[in-house]
Amino acid sequence: MNSLDFSIVLQAWPYLWSGLLFSLALTAVAFVVGLVLGTCLALVQHFEVPVLGKLVRGYVALMRSIPLILVLFWFFFLVPIVLGHLSGNGRPVPIGATWTAFITFGLFEAAYYSEIIRVGLRAVNKGQFEACQALALSTFDTYRSVILPQVLRVASPIILSQTIILFQDTSLVYVLSLTDLLGAASKLAQLNGRLVEMYLVIAVVYLAISSAASQCVASLRKRYAIAGR
Amino acid sequence: MLQHTAGNEAGRSTPIVTVENLVKRFGHFTALNDVNLSVAAGEKIVLCGPSGSGKSTLIRCINHIEKHDGGRIVVDGVELTGRMDDINGVRREVGMVFQSFNLFPHLSVVENCMLAPMKVRALSRAEAHERAIGLLRKVRIHDQANKYPGQLSGGQQQRVAIARALCMQPKIMLFDEPTSALDPEMVKEVLDTMAELARDGMTMVCVTHEMGFAREIADRVVFMDRGAIVEEADPETFFRAPRTERARDFLGQIIH
């Protein structure tokens, strides 16, 4: 039986590193896009905007009930066709795997974040809204300065937990032939036959990043348990 | 059953608040039924009555937190009926203190006081800070300016809420049972703050069961029951010789 040989990992490190950077970049972009868009979606539902509110509810329900991998496929094949129709000549306009990944993850996460924020909005005490009214704050200032900061604080542990799941889900981009951390490791492992070493090492990397983030969640929980009482 | 509003102070100047034939319903329940009240500038009114009598609903209508279903409300010359384009114009001039304080938990004490003056009155940060500290000093809580509401006692929080409302430099202050959620030992510090405000000449409408406060501060006590004003008089007359049976019952229950 072969003994483990980790030197291969060291040699392959630059390639793994570029895979990790892609995973982190995808997580970061999906987080920002998802949070901004998710907040907007939550507000549309919260204000019960006619028609739009129902559409958003349908969108969120749809995104939350189908697997991410299926959404990736859809966007990869569907968006070029839609763009083709929009551009007028009817021929599909390919947007490429990388764009597909960033757009899909952003839109997919928006659905999850919007649900978290929508529930958070409902949990804000009615008295907070009344205090804002009594102080003559505009609706915009009420939400920007008083309501949303409280929602984001209370929801931040759940939002971060969702983001940790998102980070792990970035490995699904292999279906688009993109190279994230897991993708890089797989390719190298196939190439040099060192599957066990490769998968062990990247498991450790995922573990390290995810548990560091979990620590963050725990400390956030602790902090806001006191100050946001 | 309805008393007319020629309270002892009315007529000395134009009323700052006029309520005429006010009706407010919650579904089939009529919370306010044909209520008339006028408040003169500088006047201090205590609203009292059994729970469910409509006192809180009345003052919540005055700054339009509750929308009324009939009658007229005029605050500082602006009518709160029909189109409400200028509701925030009215609310700027009307401060409100709630039973449950409703401070913003994510902002420090001083930031709670600075927010509305900066957003609504367009004060600079420095001006808003100066005004906030000044009013926090007035309610004797400026040494806690950088703490968060969750770190303060109930009495301290309510004094911050009073300072926060005063930072908007309102012409009238509404108090909705400001001491009802407080532990007994904290009631006095809040009442003292309110009494001081009254001595400074602020126009005040207070819903409260603190009859000692009413006796000391009020120009007029308005007694409500079942959504209507049943009796109004100066505190001396009201407490010594209530005219209606219901007022006598009420006073009998709360004064032991």
Side-chain angles (χ1 to χ4, degrees):
Chain A
M1 188 179 152
N2 288 348
S3 59
L4 294 175
D5 175 10
F6 286 99
S7 65
I8 191 76
V9 178
L10 277 178
Q11 289 167 27
W13 185 246
Y15 190 57
L16 288 176
W17 177 247
S18 71
L20 175 61
L21 284 184
F22 181 81
S23 293
L24 290 173
L26 184 54
T27 306
V29 170
F31 172 75
V32 174
V33 172
L35 198 58
V36 172
L37 183 61
T39 305
C40 296
L41 295 180
L43 287 171
V44 167
Q45 292 186 76
H46 183 70
F47 285 115
E48 294 173 354
V49 180
V51 187
L52 203 55
K54 286 216 162 57
L55 285 175
V56 167
R57 194 156 305 157
Y59 169 80
V60 171
L62 180 69
M63 283 291 180
R64 281 163 48 93
S65 47
I66 50 180
L68 176 55
I69 200 159
L70 187 57
V71 186
L72 277 169
F73 276 132
W74 270 11
F75 273 80
F76 190 65
F77 294 115
L78 272 182
V79 173
I81 295 173
V82 172
L83 285 177
H85 276 293
L86 289 179
S87 69
N89 67 6
R91 272 215 302 261
V93 182
I95 55 167
T98 311
W99 276 103
T100 302
F102 279 94
I103 294 171
T104 309
F105 271 81
L107 293 177
F108 191 79
E109 288 306 310
Y112 278 85
Y113 289 140
S114 85
E115 215 36 24
I116 297 170
I117 290 166
R118 191 179 65 82
V119 172
L121 282 168
R122 281 211 315 232
V124 174
N125 192 307
K126 192 165 69 79
Q128 294 290 307
F129 292 95
E130 290 182 354
C132 292
Q133 286 184 326
L135 288 167
L137 288 172
S138 65
T139 306
F140 180 77
D141 285 329
T142 297
Y143 278 84
R144 192 188 60 175
S145 302
V146 177
I147 306 301
L148 283 176
Q150 291 186 53
V151 170
L152 291 176
R153 271 174 190 236
V154 173
S156 62
I158 313 171
I159 289 172
L160 267 180
S161 301
Q162 177 61 34
T163 309
I164 294 170
I165 299 171
L166 160 67
F167 172 65
Q168 293 160 2
D169 281 351
T170 55
S171 58
L172 291 175
V173 295
Y174 80 90
V175 299
L176 303 175
S177 305
L178 290 172
T179 309
D180 71 314
L181 177 58
L182 180 60
S186 297
K187 282 179 192 167
L188 289 169
Q190 305 289 348
L191 214 60
N192 54 35
R194 290 290 178 183
L195 279 82
V196 178
E197 289 90 335
M198 278 297 174
Y199 287 140
L200 269 177
V201 168
I202 62 151
V204 170
V205 174
Y206 275 111
L207 179 70
I209 293 175
S210 295
S211 47
S214 296
Q215 283 298 314
C216 254
V217 174
S219 71
L220 274 177
R221 253 196 200 123
K222 227 174 176 173
R223 213 174 119 197
Y224 292 132
I226 300 165
R229 186 153 62 101
Chain B
M1 115 142 36
L2 184 75
Q3 297 292 314
H4 210 17
T5 31
N8 58 340
E9 300 292 328
R12 78 177 177 188
S13 66
T14 345
I16 192 161
V17 177
T18 307
V19 174
E20 284 173 3
N21 309 108
L22 188 69
V23 175
K24 169 71 190 171
R25 296 187 198 92
F26 294 106
H28 292 299
F29 177 72
T30 303
L32 293 174
N33 187 13
D34 203 18
V35 169
N36 292 268
L37 180 74
S38 89
V39 184
E43 199 179 9
K44 292 103 187 88
I45 290 185
V46 163
L47 283 176
C48 63
S51 54
S53 57
K55 339 174 271 289
S56 290
T57 306
L58 174 55
I59 66 167
R60 287 160 64 87
C61 282
I62 292 176
N63 70 353
H64 217 249
I65 285 181
E66 299 289 356
K67 285 143 197 65
H68 55 283
D69 298 304
R72 281 176 86 219
I73 302 176
V74 182
V75 177
D76 195 25
V78 178
E79 176 152 356
L80 302 191
T81 312
R83 282 168 57 84
M84 288 303 321
D85 295 341
D86 204 26
I87 181 58
N88 277 340
V90 171
R91 286 180 178 151
R92 274 199 285 272
E93 312 302 335
V94 181
M96 181 147 188
V97 174
F98 300 87
Q99 181 176 353
S100 47
F101 328 134
N102 295 345
L103 293 175
F104 305 135
H106 64 298
L107 298 179
S108 69
V109 163
V110 70
E111 287 166 343
N112 260 278
C113 297
M114 290 163 64
L115 182 66
M118 284 167 64
K119 301 286 182 197
V120 181
R121 298 269 196 212
L123 259 60
S124 72
R125 210 177 166 76
E127 289 167 329
H129 189 269
E130 192 186 333
R131 184 184 290 182
I133 293 293
L135 285 160
L136 287 169
R137 181 169 286 126
K138 186 178 165 65
V139 301
R140 287 181 286 278
I141 199 146
H142 55 285
D143 51 337
Q144 315 275 0
N146 293 316
K147 286 196 177 167
Y148 285 84
Q151 297 169 302
L152 304 184
S153 74
Q156 289 174 321
Q157 289 191 55
Q158 194 60 298
R159 284 186 283 142
V160 173
I162 293 172
R164 178 176 73 175
L166 290 176
C167 279
M168 288 293 284
Q169 300 186 327
K171 293 182 180 160
I172 168 169
M173 286 282 283
L174 308 173
F175 292 85
D176 188 4
E177 304 204 28
T179 56
S180 300
L182 297 178
D183 291 332
E185 72 272 22
M186 291 166 188
V187 170
K188 187 172 179 298
E189 61 186 85
V190 172
L191 291 180
D192 286 349
T193 305
M194 289 166 63
E196 198 177 320
L197 198 57
R199 282 191 290 274
D200 291 347
M202 175 63 76
T203 308
M204 294 164 68
V205 180
C206 313
V207 173
T208 181
H209 291 140
E210 296 295 332
M211 291 301 127
F213 173 80
R215 207 185 278 267
E216 185 191 345
I217 297 302
D219 297 314
R220 185 149 49 109
V221 177
V222 174
F223 173 71
M224 293 183 71
D225 192 20
R226 292 178 221 160
I229 293 178
V230 176
E231 185 166 338
E232 51 185 302
D234 64 276
E236 184 53 36
T237 312
F238 179 74
F239 290 113
R240 190 171 37 77
R243 278 179 288 120
T244 58
E245 186 67 36
R246 280 189 273 174
R248 276 195 290 277
D249 285 350
F250 174 72
L251 287 174
Q253 274 160 14
I254 61 163
I255 299 172
H256 305 286

